[in-house]
Amino acid sequence: QVQLVESGGGVVQPGRSLRLSCAASGFTFSSYSIHWVRQAPGKGLEWVAVISYDGSNKYYGDSVRGRFTISRDNSKNTVYLQMNSLRAEDTAVYYCAKEDEQWLCFDYWGQGTLVTVSS
Amino acid sequence: EIVLTQSPGTLSLSPGERATLSCRASQSVSSSYLAWYQQKPGQAPRLLISGASSRATGIPDRFSGSGSGTDFTLTISRLEPEDFAVYYCQRYGSSPLFTFGPGTKVEIK
């Protein structure tokens, strides 16, 4: 069965960096785009970034562009989200999600990892 | 930038009742790229409907989606106790590529 497992969350000071990982299994990882979606406490969902199946295309939401970098290692079935210059407003649960390439939506999600940006 | 608006913000209903949730886009959205998700407290979202009307794998047939252009609807024909949750619509387009609505909470009356 499809599994996505995020890790790397924690408490970090404003201006510092953090790297999240998303380990995938149960599907042909190298054939699918993977996304990061976040949810601030008590708030709705916000799309963060996507990386194409081979890593050649990457797109970002306006609020993170220039600060966050998405990457993948298909030999490890893992996607990463490098988050730099973190701000209090980046505090959220970060989910990775597999893309349904036909309908361009998110058909499988991880359980999420909490990032708290606080001094 | 296309904005998705969901209404009502909260829907108070009893088990067995019919729920009708609305998702309205500020500009026309391709029906192929409109999806609905369910999220329960402490859990990740779950895909319910893709392509505006296609149920995802394992989703009961009491869930149905419809609509086109700027107006889309998620209907739950008879609410089961496990259906009380928050529901989000989502679209793919441009700038930004992916957008979610603010959500509708379906609560027990």
Side-chain angles (χ1 to χ4, degrees):
Chain A
Q1 72 282 19
V2 174
Q3 271 200 310
L4 298 165
V5 180
E6 303 92 339
S7 61
V11 180
V12 60
Q13 293 178 329
R16 303 298 290 266
S17 300
L18 202 62
R19 189 179 81 158
L20 305 183
S21 299
C22 169
S25 61
F27 64 102
T28 306
F29 178 76
S30 59
S31 297
Y32 292 92
S33 296
I34 301 294
H35 298 251
W36 288 96
V37 176
R38 69 183 181 182
Q39 186 170 37
K43 303 298 184 183
L45 301 167
E46 179 188 13
W47 175 75
V48 173
V50 59
I51 186 166
S52 60
Y53 68 99
D54 61 354
S56 61
N57 292 298
K58 307 172 187 180
Y59 300 96
Y60 300 92
D62 290 343
S63 61
V64 307
R65 189 177 297 114
R67 299 187 299 124
F68 290 12
T69 302
I70 191 170
S71 61
R72 68 190 294 159
D73 184 339
N74 284 348
S75 69
K76 296 182 179 179
N77 282 11
T78 301
V79 170
Y80 305 97
L81 186 67
Q82 177 68 42
M83 305 186 294
N84 298 333
S85 303
L86 282 161
R87 306 167 179 168
E89 54 265 37
D90 295 319
T91 294
V93 174
Y94 285 74
Y95 298 99
C96 62
K98 173 184 167 292
E99 181 180 288
D100 178 319
E101 58 185 6
Q102 178 179 6
W103 302 112
L104 296 179
C105 58
F106 314 113
D107 55 2
Y108 292 94
W109 298 65
Q111 85 288 350
T113 187
L114 176 62
V115 173
T116 303
V117 184
S118 174
S119 54
Chain B
E1 176 182 342
I2 294 181
V3 176
L4 297 179
T5 303
Q6 291 187 244
S7 61
T10 301
L11 196 53
S12 299
L13 295 169
S14 301
E17 290 194 292
R18 181 184 187 91
T20 303
L21 287 65
S22 172
C23 176
R24 180 162 292 175
S26 58
Q27 299 175 43
S28 184
V29 172
S30 169
S31 297
S32 296
Y33 303 139
L34 193 288
W36 290 92
Y37 302 85
Q38 176 194 68
Q39 187 179 34
K40 297 178 182 179
Q43 296 185 17
R46 177 176 70 147
L47 178 66
L48 297 176
I49 301 286
S50 58
S53 60
S54 299
R55 273 188 302 276
T57 303
I59 300 303
D61 61 7
R62 63 180 181 274
F63 291 92
S64 63
S66 63
S68 64
T70 60
D71 291 296
F72 298 87
T73 300
L74 174 70
T75 302
I76 311 171
S77 59
R78 287 180 56 87
L79 282 164
E80 297 288 341
E82 62 267 28
D83 298 337
F84 292 92
V86 179
Y87 293 84
Y88 295 95
C89 58
Q90 170 257 315
R91 55 56 90 170
Y92 164 80
S94 61
S95 193
L97 283 182
F98 296 86
T99 306
F100 291 92
T104 290
K105 181 179 182 180
V106 178
E107 65 176 21
I108 299 176
K109 186 175 182 180

